[in-house]
Amino acid sequence: SQQGEEDPQALSIQEGENATMNCSYKTSINNLQWYRQNSGRGLVHLILIRSNEREKHSGRLRVTLDTSKKSSSLLITASRAADTASYFCATDLLLAGGTSYGKLTFGQGTILTVHP
Amino acid sequence: DSGVTQTPKHLITATGQRVTLRCSPRSGDLSVYWYQQSLDQGLQFLIHYYNGEERAKGNILERFSAQQFPDLHSELNLSSLELGDSALYFCASSRGGRTKAGYTFGSGTRLTVV
């Protein structure tokens, strides 16, 4: 099964509104990353948050991480029609001994539609 | 342009055939990752190579194989193709062998098996 589970599966908002997407995971992580994918195209890295960080900002993006709840959220403020895309969280899993598995596990994604 | 080049962009082939997908990583990146994306399975990790060596294997079928060459480009070979192998195949690269920074993805190869 997927490590990351995004919620909601789909989100439809108006331009100017904020969009919040959530991600839950099951096991300990080294870091968590968010990616955007426009229809049928390659994924674009948005932001990375390490397991010892609680919040990170990048432009209109804000990511939080709660390792006790094994969850993360991505907030896009003042959304634009160009933000319409699928958003994926991806986790770098920690193995026993504290080493990383060395690969990212992706969730199923949230489809965001921003109406002009 | 992300710097990761995948060829071909589209491929249509018949069941039972064999195809090779090619990936050139971003300049300076030593790691190459292959992912398969389909509607029902989502993004599935297939395999990771770092500087020519296999580092991790995921849900890769025995009919599939990959390698990374000395110039760091990678090829994913898919044989005895089945209808269910139709999917988007992505290659991603990163500087090192760990995921301390994000991956850079190529634009993918859309494989259609008929």
Side-chain angles (χ1 to χ4, degrees), chain A residues 17 28 45 50 53 65-66 70 79 88 96 98 100 102 114:
Chain A
E17 294 180 342
S28 296
H45 179 255
R50 293 181 171 77
E53 297 175 314
L65 179 65
D66 186 334
K70 291 187 169 56
S79 62
F88 295 87
S100 164
V114 182

Side-chain angles (χ1 to χ4, degrees), chain A residues 10-97:
Chain A
L11 182 59
S12 182
I13 59 173
Q14 296 294 129
E15 245 184 352
E17 294 180 342
N18 295 342
T20 300
M21 289 159 267
N22 303 296
C23 169
S24 60
Y25 56 92
K26 296 175 183 173
T27 59
S28 296
I29 61 170
N30 186 36
N31 64 63
L32 185 145
Q33 304 179 27
W34 287 90
Y35 288 79
R36 182 187 76 229
Q37 183 181 32
N38 289 87
S39 182
R41 306 189 66 173
L43 284 79
V44 174
H45 179 255
L46 296 176
I47 198 165
L48 179 153
I49 187 164
R50 293 181 171 77
S51 59
N52 61 354
E53 297 175 314
R54 292 296 166 257
E55 189 170 313
K56 211 159 180 183
H57 297 255
S58 176
R60 294 184 294 113
L61 306 180
R62 173 177 166 252
V63 169
T64 61
L65 179 65
D66 186 334
T67 52
S68 66
K69 294 181 180 177
K70 291 187 169 56
S71 67
S72 172
S73 68
L74 171 67
L75 168 68
I76 304 174
T77 59
S79 62
R80 306 164 182 169
D83 295 327
T84 295
S86 292
Y87 291 82
F88 295 87
C89 71
T91 49
D92 175 18
L93 304 181
L94 267 182
L95 299 174

